[in-house]
Amino acid sequence: MSAQSVVALAGQVMTKDGEPVIGATVQVKGQPGTGVITDADGHFRLNNLKTGQTVTFSYIGYVTINISVKKNDERMRVVLSEDVKSTDEVVVVGQGTQRKISVVGAITTVSTKDLTTPATSVANMLGGRVPGIISVLRTGEPGNDFSQFWIRGISTFGANAGALVLIDGVEGNINDLDPEDIESFSVLKDASATAVYGTRGANGVIIVTTKKGSAGKLSINAKANVGYSYSPRMPEYLRAYDYARLANEAAASREMDPIFNDVDLALFKNGLDPDLHPDVDWHNTILRDHSWNQQAHLSASGGGQVARYYMSLGFINKEALMKQAKGVNPYSTNVNYRQYNFRANVDVNMTKSTILNLGLETTIVTQNYPGYGNSTDALWQAASNLTPITVPLRYSSGEYPAYGSDNNQISPYVLLNLTGYRNTYRNNTKIRVSIDQDLSKITKGLKASVLFNFDANSNINESRTKWPTLYYASQRKRDGSLDLIKKRDYQSQAYGNSVGADKKYYFEAHLNYDRVFGQDHRTSGLIHFYCEDYTNSANTTLLTAIPKRYVALSSRLTYSYKDTYFSEFNLGYTGSEAFEKGHRFGLFPAISGGWIPTQYEFVKKALPFLSYLKFRGSYGIVGNDRVSGSTRFPYLYLMGTGGSGPWNAGTGLTETQIGSNNLRWEKATKVNLGVDLKMFNEKFDMTVDFFRDVRSGIYQQRASTPAEMGLPSLPWANVGEMKSWGIDGHMSYKQDLGRDTYLVLRANFTQSKNKVTNWEETIKKYPYQRWTGVPYGIPRGLIALGLFKDDQEISESPRQQFESVVRPGDIKYKDVNGDGVINSDDIVPLKYSSVPQIQYGFAQEFNYKHWNVSVLFEGVARVNYMVGGTGYIPFINKETGNILTIVGDQRNRWTSRDISGDPATENPNAKFPRLSYGANNNNDQSSTFWLRDGSYLRLKYIQISYLLKKPWMQAIGMNSATISLIGDNLWIWDKGDKIFDPAQASGNGATYPLQRVFSLQVNVSF
């Protein structure tokens, strides 16, 4: 055994902000009287130490640190972290922070641990994880697979229904954010929490702060993962022979001649005529079984007394499932999405009371597509629309096929491989400068800050497109050659591009005051001002090119007594360009309060199991000024050129817009009641909020204005009204099972209902035809009563006017108005919209020493989707439109006994009515027959991780490494047809399917 060496330690003790810790105790563990006290600069020195000893660094209010002595080190930086009690825990709120115990608004904080899993976007991680969020993901296409989400559901049918996303205090795109850069994530839901943001916060606010550097040695973290993805649900279609037989049945069902004769059927079956009797599986032709994606992130942070820094690089690469034909092109025509992120946050202590913050953020996105367009929709539509017998992959004479000239009538093989390619480049850069000034010399607790942000976006879209000559052949000539009809002319390679840019200047300043008087009285105040100026190169007219500007002033005042009683008052004063002079500013107040009875001693004694109980309530009014996506200055009367004279034959001046000079703010009156609860030594934690949002003055164009007035455009008015209400909350339970072993159970729930209470519309014949009084976005259709059993039932039922002849096996509808006929007057609002009313999630985390297993289930309820149209209803377009394999199963379709020879095929519960070859206006109606329950429970996520932390790793400078196996979208239980994922089933398979992904991830810390 080697002898111990004598060494010395010296350096500086500081906080994470670089401030020296004066009077900290530095001593050898287990040897009282051997320590020193840090000086006025936080410096210390210990001599005559022996390797293997442990030195302890401690200071009141900070977590004690133990460091093992290994070698001589006289340039140490020891960083102490505050020992934060639960009552002093801080959360991010609007324009600042508050102690968690004093928060009376509806605010949810999200653990950053839940946001660091492999995903294209942070938005994809919110559904089922965050109470108060309703989200939907409609496509799995790389670059477009971003969830759409709403805070507490959809509460307005106006132009601005989405949440405000703030990244480091500045409005940003959550899809551009790398999850690894997030320091804190808060969701502000009620009027009290969002009031300081004025009109911008009418639909809730998401506040993201990114990581900053901490004083101490250089820290490097790296993450890399590779993912294997495939489509767990894909529509399956009938092949040629079964398709042809079913087409004949459809024709016979309507007393038509057979579509295909016996020779045709034989040729489809034996494949002897691939030109005129092809059998093509288009999905297999253009799709691979799987694709790979990669993600990486590298960050470095550190600093000292003067400056601290955090820098990061991020990368995402995702390729689509498209299978490019080998040897056809020297370039890629596959869909590809690449995202590059760079971030640098630097904090500089200019003086002891002044901190300068510099932030630089750049996101670069490149995307690649086939030449026909900027999405894969046409490929999926073509694969859904072109049957296996419509056209071959290529005619034997060498020509490429097309049934028509539209993209959905062109071979998906041609669309993918022979139309060239397109690529898109997008760059977003933000430069942020802020100064935080401590004004305690004026009065204790006073601070001021200013922030300026420059935000610039640019994009370049390039296309290199071409088209081969496309033909269609339905027969042969006398000499046996194909009788080809040209469907699309040849187009040589052509180049095109478009460019765009926009920029925004943003400035804000606020004054914060936070003070405690006599230990019992806490008060805080905020005065906040902001303005912004936005310009877009797409605005090319004299009017729209005017920069869009906003200005607002807001304030907040809070008071609490003995951390038991809390009150808060917020006031926003916002200006908008949407209103004429004299009416441009709106005043929006909010008030809230809270009470914590567990602060009373008698409550603690009477209910010892109750660790914490808090009641909260808020009431407030917020505004919205967004009329529509393109309408500006709606109060102006605009003139332009147009037809003149009695026959509109000449050119002259005319009105192009009728001014709406009576417009005022759309207002939302919000009420929130909440309860926070902790029990059993804080092992159990629960929060529940009840909310109500009443919107008035929603902007609509007047539908009741008679055409006889001859207006060139309908004026806008504050006539719409809508209300929404619901509940959201979460609960968690943590049980320690031994050393480094624990189990955590979590659950969250959100329900958001809404109803349109006034919709500007023309007079309706029946009350149920109005949009007023029903939920927003609800589908409308007929009420189906099943299938007609026989001719007698048809003759005894009200006459259905959609088709001249109705037969047994056709859909029977309800006569809603009782007039003896069924027509469009019987169309009614149906059950639920395609946006879920309920979204929930429950998760489990189990940790045993170095092993960790996490599981997340996500579900939705009270949601519907409508099936139908091409790709679902058989033969609706005769020659085009694939037939699902479930139609080929006799148990799923109604077939007359006269055709099948079996009475059992007249199934009254069949999923598909009596077949038709071509559109059947009776059966194709939107109705409850085609309405499906979109509820589901999804095994969203499983992660198995192992933490590797060995002594040998220290020798190479590595602190730890975590290896994880992660599965996403692993299984789904639903009530629909189980053909498509219910989240996107309304697309009938003509959209990129949601993916199942298995990822291997490695996190390394140096």
Side-chain angles (χ1 to χ4, degrees):
M1 184 175 180
S2 60
Q4 291 178 311
S5 304
V6 177
V7 299
L9 294 183
Q12 186 181 34
V13 180
M14 62 184 74
T15 68
K16 66 177 183 178
D17 295 326
E19 297 178 357
V21 179
I22 304 169
T25 301
V26 184
Q27 67 178 23
V28 179
K29 189 174 183 180
Q31 298 183 21
T34 59
V36 297
I37 302 296
T38 56
D39 62 17
D41 295 319
H43 292 136
F44 71 93
R45 184 177 186 84
L46 286 176
N47 296 313
N48 300 319
L49 299 176
K50 295 179 180 180
T51 55
Q53 290 181 313
T54 299
V55 177
T56 300
F57 298 82
S58 61
Y59 188 73
I60 297 174
Y62 289 82
V63 179
T64 299
I65 290 180
N66 296 311
I67 296 178
S68 178
V69 179
K70 296 180 179 179
K71 61 180 180 178
N72 194 78
D73 190 348
E74 300 189 19
R75 301 183 63 183
M76 293 185 67
R77 287 181 176 176
V78 180
V79 180
L80 298 183
S81 301
E82 290 186 72
D83 186 7
V84 180
K85 299 178 181 178
S86 60
T87 55
D88 292 324
E89 185 180 348
V90 172
V91 297
V92 176
V93 298
Q95 299 300 336
T97 60
Q98 284 184 5
R99 294 187 313 145
K100 190 172 184 178
I101 194 173
S102 67
V103 172
V104 290
I107 298 176
T108 296
T109 58
V110 183
S111 171
T112 55
K113 181 181 178 181
D114 294 334
L115 301 176
T116 56
T117 60
T120 305
S121 166
V122 175
N124 294 354
M125 305 179 190
L126 302 180
R129 280 187 171 98
V130 184
I133 295 289
I134 298 289
S135 73
V136 293
L137 178 60
R138 302 300 194 194
T139 176
E141 179 183 306
N144 287 318
D145 50 344
F146 304 131
S147 293
Q148 187 178 9
F149 66 92
W150 302 268
I151 294 179
R152 292 183 163 175
I154 299 176
S155 55
T156 179
F157 55 81
N160 184 28
L164 171 67
V165 177
L166 297 175
I167 302 173
D168 290 331
V170 180
E171 191 170 353
N173 184 352
I174 198 171
N175 297 321
D176 286 347
L177 185 64
D178 195 306
E180 292 290 336
D181 288 332
I182 297 176
E183 177 69 27
S184 68
F185 191 100
S186 298
V187 182
L188 282 56
K189 297 179 283 190
D190 70 335
S192 173
T194 64
V196 294
Y197 295 106
T199 62
R200 298 189 299 162
N203 302 302
V205 181
I206 288 180
I207 300 179
V208 180
T209 59
T210 60
K211 294 177 181 178
K212 293 186 177 183
S214 297
K217 66 177 183 179
L218 172 65
S219 175
I220 298 176
N221 292 281
K223 178 192 80 173
N225 66 61
V226 58
Y228 171 95
S229 67
Y230 67 95
S231 304
R233 286 193 178 182
M234 287 277 290
E236 296 181 5
Y237 300 121
L238 294 180
R239 298 303 295 267
Y241 177 70
D242 292 327
Y243 173 91
R245 287 196 310 119
L246 207 62
N248 282 348
E249 178 185 320
S253 295
R254 301 295 167 179
E255 300 177 357
M256 297 170 59
D257 294 332
I259 308 301
F260 303 102
N261 57 37
D262 292 341
V263 175
D264 292 323
L265 293 175
L267 290 173
F268 285 130
K269 193 170 186 177
N270 58 39
L272 295 179
D273 183 14
D275 284 321
L276 300 182
H277 296 81
D279 184 8
V280 184
D281 183 340
W282 292 112
H283 278 165
N284 184 62
T285 301
I286 65 168
L287 298 178
R288 297 178 290 171
D289 293 332
H290 65 273
S291 65
W292 295 92
N293 52 74
Q294 301 84 31
Q295 193 170 1
H297 186 270
L298 176 67
S299 67
S301 63
Q305 189 172 357
V306 176
R308 294 151 307 280
Y309 59 89
Y310 172 85
M311 294 184 294
S312 69
L313 292 169
F315 169 71
I316 296 175
N317 178 57
K318 298 188 73 173
E319 282 197 349
L321 292 165
M322 277 64 218
K323 180 166 61 179
Q324 185 175 348
K326 295 181 179 179
V328 175
N329 296 307
Y331 46 81
S332 174
T333 61
N334 193 12
V335 176
N336 177 268
Y337 176 84
R338 287 189 176 94
Q339 178 176 310
Y340 307 85
N341 290 85
F342 170 76
R343 183 179 299 278
N345 291 332
V346 180
D347 302 321
V348 179
N349 293 0
M350 300 176 65
T351 69
K352 290 185 178 181
S353 61
T354 307
I355 299 177
L356 174 66
N357 307 290
L358 301 174
L360 175 62
E361 173 191 349
T362 296
T363 302
I364 298 172
V365 172
T366 62
Q367 293 177 269
N368 194 81
Y369 293 98
Y372 68 84
N374 291 334
S375 78
T376 60
D377 287 352
L379 280 174
W380 295 101
Q381 289 167 3
S384 173
N385 194 52
L386 293 184
T387 73
I389 70 170
T390 305
V391 292
L393 189 66
R394 190 174 185 179
Y395 289 115
S396 58
S397 53
E399 292 82 5
Y400 287 103
Y403 184 74
S405 59
D406 294 337
N407 282 354
N408 64 355
Q409 297 177 324
I410 294 174
S411 155
Y413 176 88
V414 170
L415 292 175
L416 176 63
N417 295 287
L418 302 173
T419 60
Y421 69 99
R422 297 170 182 260
N423 52 54
T424 298
Y425 168 89
R426 177 173 65 85
N427 178 289
N428 172 253
T429 298
K430 290 185 175 70
I431 301 173
R432 187 184 68 260
V433 181
S434 66
I435 297 177
D436 298 327
Q437 179 65 53
D438 190 334
L439 299 175
S440 297
K441 290 184 178 181
I442 299 175
T443 182
K444 186 178 178 181
L446 186 64
K447 295 181 180 180
S449 67
V450 294
L451 180 148
F452 174 79
N453 183 84
F454 174 72
D455 189 344
N457 285 282
S458 62
N459 62 79
I460 303 174
N461 303 295
E462 294 184 295
S463 63
R464 294 169 173 83
T465 57
K466 62 179 183 179
W467 286 93
T469 307
L470 301 177
Y471 298 90
Y472 177 70
S474 60
Q475 60 184 4
R476 296 184 184 275
K477 298 178 182 178
R478 290 187 176 182
D479 60 2
S481 63
L482 293 170
D483 186 6
L484 296 170
I485 301 172
K486 185 187 292 186
K487 292 294 182 179
R488 186 153 189 161
D489 290 328
Y490 170 81
Q491 178 186 313
S492 60
Q493 183 165 304
Y495 174 79
N497 67 42
S498 63
V499 296
D502 64 79
K503 60 182 176 67
K504 180 189 289 186
Y505 299 104
Y506 177 86
F507 173 82
E508 72 173 31
H510 57 256
L511 196 65
N512 271 301
Y513 179 74
D514 195 346
R515 187 80 175 267
V516 181
F517 297 93
Q519 296 184 342
D520 293 335
H521 305 272
R522 289 180 176 267
T523 184
S524 70
L526 165 72
I527 298 176
H528 173 258
F529 169 82
Y530 97 91
C531 61
E532 66 178 52
D533 181 296
Y534 174 76
T535 305
N536 193 318
S537 64
N539 297 327
T540 57
T541 66
L542 185 63
L543 191 66
T544 60
I546 297 173
K548 183 176 288 188
R549 293 173 177 142
Y550 283 91
V551 61
L553 182 67
S554 58
S555 62
R556 177 171 58 225
L557 178 65
T558 71
Y559 170 77
S560 67
Y561 176 66
K562 288 188 175 182
D563 283 341
T564 305
Y565 307 97
F566 304 88
S567 63
E568 183 174 309
F569 180 75
N570 292 270
L571 189 66
Y573 187 62
T574 305
S576 169
E577 67 173 24
F579 315 117
E580 72 272 20
K581 190 174 181 180
H583 299 279
R584 288 176 179 161
F585 285 85
L587 194 65
F588 306 104
I591 189 170
S592 56
W595 175 46
I596 305 179
T598 47
Q599 294 291 82
Y600 300 123
E601 287 298 326
F602 76 88
V603 174
K604 294 178 181 178
K605 292 179 181 179
L607 304 171
F609 64 90
L610 192 60
S611 308
Y612 179 81
L613 177 62
K614 181 181 185 179
F615 297 100
R616 298 175 283 105
S618 69
Y619 172 88
I621 300 173
V622 293
N624 176 41
D625 70 322
R626 310 298 168 92
V627 177
S628 75
S630 58
T631 301
R632 296 183 65 186
F633 313 113
Y635 57 88
L636 293 179
Y637 287 81
L638 300 181
M639 303 294 291
T641 57
S644 67
W647 294 279
N648 210 28
T651 300
L653 293 177
T654 185
E655 286 181 317
T656 59
Q657 175 179 295
I658 298 298
S660 304
N661 54 11
N662 60 342
L663 283 183
R664 300 297 179 262
W665 292 88
E666 173 190 329
K667 293 184 178 181
T669 302
K670 298 191 173 193
V671 178
N672 189 90
L673 297 174
V675 179
D676 302 325
L677 175 68
K678 295 182 181 181
M679 297 190 296
F680 313 122
N681 294 322
E682 301 191 0
K683 289 182 180 180
F684 179 80
D685 185 350
M686 183 178 75
T687 293
V688 178
D689 281 276
F690 301 88
F691 61 88
R692 181 182 178 88
D693 185 330
V694 178
R695 298 289 176 115
S696 60
I698 300 175
Y699 306 112
Q700 287 187 278
Q701 286 184 289
R702 302 306 305 255
S704 58
T705 304
E708 288 81 2
M709 292 187 66
L711 300 180
S713 66
L714 294 175
W716 293 88
N718 299 93
V719 291
E721 296 178 0
M722 181 173 169
K723 65 178 180 180
S724 62
W725 67 97
I727 179 176
D728 62 53
H730 75 274
M731 62 178 65
S732 66
Y733 180 81
K734 181 176 182 180
Q735 179 64 53
D736 291 323
L737 303 173
R739 185 178 179 182
D740 297 326
T741 305
Y742 61 83
L743 174 68
V744 180
L745 302 175
R746 302 186 185 92
N748 68 80
F749 178 87
T750 303
Q751 181 177 17
S752 177
K753 300 180 180 180
N754 66 57
K755 180 188 288 186
V756 176
T757 53
N758 189 64
W759 182 284
E760 176 78 0
E761 55 190 329
T762 57
I763 297 174
K764 301 298 182 182
K765 189 175 181 180
Y766 298 100
Y768 55 78
Q769 294 176 330
R770 300 186 63 198
W771 292 94
T772 299
V774 297
Y776 176 65
I778 196 169
R780 292 171 180 259
L782 299 165
I783 298 175
L785 301 177
L787 303 177
F788 282 114
K789 293 184 296 183
D790 49 37
D791 290 324
Q792 181 180 352
E793 184 180 12
I794 295 174
S795 64
E796 294 175 352
S797 300
R799 185 166 54 90
Q800 301 185 175
Q801 294 185 332
F802 305 109
E803 277 283 343
S804 58
V805 178
V806 178
R807 293 181 168 89
D810 286 338
I811 301 174
K812 177 182 179 181
Y813 300 114
K814 181 178 180 180
D815 184 8
V816 175
N817 59 7
D819 63 355
V821 296
I822 296 173
N823 51 30
S824 59
D825 287 342
D826 297 294
I827 294 175
V828 298
L830 301 181
K831 205 166 187 182
Y832 302 115
S833 76
S834 60
V835 177
Q837 271 192 15
I838 294 175
Q839 188 151 27
Y840 59 92
F842 49 91
Q844 166 267 322
E845 180 184 356
F846 176 73
N847 192 89
Y848 174 72
K849 294 184 178 180
H850 294 279
W851 288 94
N852 185 278
V853 179
S854 298
V855 180
L856 172 67
F857 289 87
E858 174 243 346
V860 301
R862 295 193 174 184
V863 56
N864 286 135
Y865 63 88
M866 189 75 71
V867 296
T870 304
Y872 194 92
I873 297 180
F875 307 107
I876 188 172
N877 289 329
K878 293 187 177 180
E879 296 89 351
T880 59
N882 264 303
I883 308 301
L884 295 166
T885 55
I886 61 169
V887 184
D889 187 340
Q890 182 62 71
R891 293 170 297 179
N892 292 325
R893 71 180 190 274
W894 192 99
T895 303
S896 169
R897 68 182 69 191
D898 297 333
I899 296 175
S900 66
D902 183 2
T905 61
E906 295 182 354
N907 178 11
N909 300 313
K911 290 184 177 180
F912 295 89
R914 184 187 194 110
L915 296 183
S916 302
Y917 193 75
N920 182 284
N921 292 327
N922 184 82
N923 295 342
D924 301 345
Q925 293 292 316
S926 176
S927 74
T928 55
F929 190 89
W930 304 113
L931 192 68
R932 299 291 184 266
D933 187 341
S935 303
Y936 66 79
L937 174 64
R938 190 189 306 271
L939 177 54
K940 177 64 178 173
Y941 171 83
I942 294 180
Q943 176 172 316
I944 303 173
S945 301
Y946 180 76
L947 174 64
L948 189 64
K949 199 169 186 178
K950 301 292 184 180
W952 61 264
M953 300 170 67
Q954 298 287 337
I956 60 174
M958 186 185 299
N959 295 327
S960 64
T962 302
I963 302 172
S964 304
L965 180 62
I966 303 165
D968 184 76
N969 189 22
L970 295 178
W971 198 258
I972 190 168
W973 296 266
D974 62 312
K975 300 178 181 179
D977 295 326
K978 303 184 187 302
I979 304 170
F980 320 104
D981 192 291
Q984 55 176 186
S986 58
N988 293 339
T991 187
Y992 200 111
L994 301 186
Q995 297 294 284
R996 179 170 295 160
V997 185
F998 293 94
S999 301
L1000 179 64
Q1001 180 168 289
V1002 178
N1003 296 70
V1004 181
S1005 174
F1006 296 92

